[in-house]
Amino acid sequence: MISSTCVLHQAGTTAEIFLLFIQGLIARLAITSPGVRRTFLWDNLRSHYSDAVAFAIYSAGHRIINRPAYYPQDGPIEYIFNRVEMGLRDRLYLIRHDDQLIWHTHDIISGIHAVEETFVHCGY
């Protein structure tokens, strides 16, 4: 299992690495919000399309929505990614190691509000 706060120092994401990440995320969700059904939304990255990943998500009671090919205007997550990227860019001079990157990323994400409304506005 890979922690959802783990930083890997290698290029690319394999289906195996993504599965370990998803398993860690599902375990964390089971603790922080037990019984809440979540929707996983992702693009067409090859590592997302693994039978093992789908099984892990569906067997935990969650669901998957696959986005069409990359089209950022219709993808609400692109707005969220942009806000995280902009926040990290503003703090770049403060980040010197992985722990600081993780802390600042969590701090930025915790300050993003209206995430659910963004998804609803985009039709999800």
Side-chain angles (χ1 to χ4, degrees):
M1 192 175 333
I2 294 179
S3 166
S4 60
T5 58
C6 178
V7 176
L8 300 178
H9 297 276
Q10 64 189 51
T13 301
T14 65
E16 293 81 17
I17 290 171
F18 188 62
L19 173 61
L20 293 173
F21 171 77
I22 290 295
Q23 288 171 332
L25 184 58
I26 289 170
R28 186 173 176 186
L29 289 172
I31 294 168
T32 59
S33 52
V36 176
R37 183 179 183 204
R38 300 291 181 169
T39 299
F40 290 79
L41 171 72
W42 51 57
D43 59 15
N44 60 352
L45 183 67
R46 176 172 277 171
S47 62
H48 294 163
Y49 293 91
S50 157
D51 290 340
V53 169
F55 179 78
I57 291 171
Y58 290 131
S59 66
H62 305 294
R63 67 183 185 145
I64 300 169
I65 295 178
N66 296 314
R67 280 194 41 217
Y70 182 75
Y71 192 68
Q73 294 84 338
D74 288 339
I77 196 65
E78 303 301 334
Y79 296 107
I80 305 304
F81 286 156
N82 182 263
R83 292 178 70 183
V84 172
E85 181 183 1
M86 299 284 286
L88 287 173
R89 187 180 316 149
D90 290 344
R91 300 173 187 208
L92 192 58
Y93 67 95
L94 298 172
I95 301 169
R96 297 287 175 246
H97 53 77
D98 292 350
D99 290 338
Q100 289 176 339
L101 173 63
I102 291 168
W103 187 89
H104 282 283
T105 302
H106 282 264
D107 187 54
I108 292 164
I109 291 170
S110 69
I112 297 174
H113 302 288
V115 173
E116 195 167 318
E117 291 85 353
T118 302
F119 278 77
V120 170
H121 174 75
C122 291
Y124 288 90

